Amino acid sequence: MNTHPFDNAIALAATGQDGWEGRTSPDYANFIGPYGGIMAAQALNAVMLHPQRLGEPVAFTVNFAAAMADGPFEARARPARTNRSTQHWIVELLQDGQAVVTATALTAIRRETWSGDEAVMPAARAPQELAPPTQPARVAWLGRYDMRFIGGSVPYPWDGQDRGHSRTALWVRDNPSRALDFPSLTSMADIFFPRVWLRRGKPSVVGTVTMTVYFHADGAQLQAAGAGYLLAQAQGQGFRNGYFDHAGHLWSEAGVLLATTHQLVYFKE
Amino acid sequence: MNTHPFDNAIALAATGQDGWEGRTSPDYANFIGPYGGIMAAQALNAVMLHPQRLGEPVAFTVNFAAAMADGPFEARARPARTNRSTQHWIVELLQDGQAVVTATALTAIRRETWSGDEAVMPAARAPQELAPPTQPARVAWLGRYDMRFIGGSVPYPWDGQDRGHSRTALWVRDNPSRALDFPSLTSMADIFFPRVWLRRGKPSVVGTVTMTVYFHADGAQLQAAGAGYLLAQAQGQGFRNGYFDHAGHLWSEAGVLLATTHQLVYFKE
């Protein structure tokens, strides 16, 4: 009854071996179809729920192959290879028997080793000192995240100026707040508005075509992050002939690198 | 007769719809099994050879699921979704009916748009002014690449010092030289020796588990790069509990960003 909208959105009902049924959630609607992050979380959740899963997610790549229509979808996740401590997955979300999302995942049992991070969280004011965006949220999913921009917020009103860079940093957490887990971290890896809008100071038709997330944190570290804010930072790398990519990082409020992420985005002009 | 070792290594013979047979090449042997880059190129080549392919590669993710044994392998590539100008692929390389490599690819017909790069090639001395490594190549594949380290070369003799960073830049091309194409660029995206060796100044058992390549260049821009050197740069981001990732970039000798790449690597200690 009191289920968080995120848990509702990623819920899957088993339909047989390697198969589930899910349903799009109006809470995470985007301009056309659902927010990409929620589809990524749904695909990963099929792996999380699989009775044969070994270990926790370490790497996840999701490809957005077509627009998802509002309504039910089929999820398929199968272990393509299971080793002693690692497992490789192939995942698809389908509608009318056609792939809408494809994905691969690696889950693994991790053990403690030497550790050291090179991607260090930038200095930033505390989230509580920063105001939420004042623009009205034109799509439902924006209301599902509490965002506090540190720099590189949506350049609105549009000025059409080439900023020469497309770097954004923000604090983000679920709204209402919710303890972090692998699906919600995956969804937040897609939180960045299109880099080309920032770079050029104007909107254009865009769509993420593929996103990869590397999980540096294990379940215990996600638990430690709890319902706190994450610092999310991304910057475009190359924009050319209809596609651009960005590289992103997600740290816990305490400064622990939780995940790195990359994506490639279609843009019309 | 005079075929380049790279073309020999990625050659695939069609065995039916969506199926091919390939064979590992001793020219690209690594410590255990083949060099990861050549397996990635083999997987991508199944897409390149597919009669239903639409457009050119834009994104490619390859997962190394198990050690490949010397000898034949089966390649399977199927278009999971074909749209008007994009196509999503699922690829597997198998031995004994078991997946050794899984991959997804996006191919697309690109059209000219506004373009701008943020990942700019670092200043570097010309490849001709830099000497090749003097260490003997202990594995065959190292002999297949002409490498000229600009900075961050293998820290040999091992000193066990934590360098605090793991950034490498080098010039690289095929040896003997060969005109660049999508499979060879994919292979070179895996050229970086393990970042953890550089960071810690000592070797450890490692294995790449997944690599993603985003192609910013189209076929014409690869042709323009020709048989010249590429500037390849990579740096580790997070090292924790058995896995680290790095972010990399590949530019043509003329400074055109050809591809960005990321990978996650297992390390034993």
Side-chain angles (χ1 to χ4, degrees), chain B:
Chain B
M1 306 197 301
N2 234 345
T3 310
H4 192 284
F6 185 80
D7 293 288
N8 278 332
I10 67 166
L12 297 172
T15 57
Q17 165 140 14
D18 299 345
W20 290 266
E21 187 178 276
R23 177 170 279 278
T24 60
S25 163
D27 291 332
Y28 289 86
N30 202 350
F31 292 101
I32 299 170
Y35 164 56
I38 206 75
M39 291 190 281
Q42 288 159 339
L44 183 66
N45 204 30
V47 175
M48 298 307 292
L49 294 173
H50 202 291
Q52 288 166 37
R53 174 169 56 87
L54 180 75
E56 296 183 325
V58 176
F60 180 64
T61 293
V62 58
N63 305 289
F64 302 100
M68 186 176 275
D70 292 339
F73 60 84
E74 179 192 352
R76 287 183 203 158
R78 66 175 171 96
R81 182 89 188 210
T82 302
N83 301 306
R84 203 172 44 178
S85 63
T86 61
Q87 193 172 43
H88 285 265
W89 294 85
I90 295 179
V91 185
E92 291 180 81
L93 304 184
L94 304 101
Q95 286 186 320
D96 298 326
Q98 285 239 70
V100 175
V101 167
T102 67
T104 58
L106 170 68
T107 57
I109 297 169
R110 303 179 74 149
R111 6 172 245 100
E112 204 175 314
T113 63
W114 173 85
S115 295
D117 291 344
E118 294 186 27
V120 175
M121 187 166 83
R125 290 170 62 194
Q128 294 78 7
E129 297 174 20
L130 297 164
T134 50
Q135 285 174 258
R138 290 174 51 213
V139 285
W141 78 268
L142 286 169
R144 298 281 60 78
Y145 289 99
D146 173 1
M147 301 191 208
R148 311 293 176 105
F149 281 91
I150 298 159
S153 57
V154 181
Y156 190 81
W158 308 108
D159 59 14
Q161 297 295 311
D162 186 335
R163 278 161 179 68
H165 83 85
S166 63
R167 189 170 51 255
T168 284
L170 73 155
W171 294 107
V172 60
R173 63 175 179 181
D174 284 305
N175 181 22
S177 67
R178 178 183 175 277
L180 195 66
D181 55 19
F182 287 102
S184 70
L185 178 57
T186 300
S187 183
M188 281 187 245
D190 193 33
I191 201 70
F192 308 100
F193 68 91
R195 305 294 83 204
V196 72
W197 295 6
L198 178 57
R199 172 67 189 266
R200 306 191 69 198
K202 63 179 191 181
S204 67
V205 173
V206 296
T208 297
V209 291
T210 180
M211 174 174 79
T212 289
V213 183
Y214 297 150
F215 300 101
H216 291 289
D218 59 16
Q221 288 184 313
L222 298 189
Q223 265 196 313
Y229 286 90
L230 306 189
L231 197 158
Q233 183 172 271
Q235 180 165 5
Q237 303 199 103
F239 305 72
R240 199 177 312 158
N241 295 346
Y243 293 89
F244 72 85
D245 72 331
H246 79 226
H249 300 83
L250 296 139
W251 293 271
S252 72
E253 210 169 328
V256 176
L257 181 67
L258 301 178
T260 53
T261 182
H262 314 95
Q263 65 173 259
L264 191 77
V265 181
Y266 164 80
F267 68 103
K268 189 162 183 183
E269 55 185 0

Side-chain angles (χ1 to χ4, degrees), chain A residues 37-215:
Chain A
I38 206 75
M39 291 190 281
Q42 287 160 338
L44 184 66
N45 204 30
V47 174
M48 298 307 292
L49 295 172
H50 202 291
Q52 288 165 39
R53 175 169 56 88
L54 180 75
E56 296 183 326
V58 177
F60 180 64
T61 293
V62 58
N63 305 289
F64 302 101
M68 185 174 275
D70 291 340
F73 60 84
E74 179 191 351
R76 287 184 202 156
R78 66 176 170 95
R81 183 90 188 209
T82 303
N83 302 306
R84 203 173 44 179
S85 63
T86 61
Q87 193 172 44
H88 285 265
W89 295 84
I90 295 179
V91 185
E92 291 180 81
L93 304 184
L94 304 100
Q95 286 186 320
D96 298 325
Q98 283 240 70
V100 174
V101 167
T102 67
T104 58
L106 170 67
T107 58
I109 297 168
R110 303 178 74 150
R111 2 172 249 99
E112 203 175 316
T113 62
W114 173 84
S115 295
D117 291 343
E118 295 186 26
V120 175
M121 186 165 84
R125 290 170 61 195
Q128 294 77 6
E129 296 174 19
L130 297 163
T134 50
Q135 285 174 258
R138 291 174 51 213
V139 285
W141 78 268
L142 285 169
R144 297 281 61 78
Y145 289 99
D146 173 2
M147 302 191 209
R148 312 292 175 106
F149 282 90
I150 298 158
S153 57
V154 180
Y156 190 82
W158 308 106
D159 59 12
Q161 297 296 311
D162 186 334
R163 277 160 180 70
H165 83 85
S166 63
R167 191 170 50 255
T168 284
L170 73 156
W171 293 108
V172 61
R173 63 176 179 180
D174 284 305
N175 179 22
S177 67
R178 178 182 175 278
L180 195 66
D181 56 18
F182 287 103
S184 70
L185 178 56
T186 299
S187 183
M188 281 188 246
D190 193 34
I191 201 70
F192 309 99
F193 69 92
R195 303 295 84 205
V196 72
W197 296 5
L198 178 57
R199 172 69 189 265
R200 305 192 69 198
K202 63 180 191 182
S204 68
V205 174
V206 295
T208 297
V209 291
T210 180
M211 175 174 79
T212 290
V213 183
Y214 297 150
F215 301 101

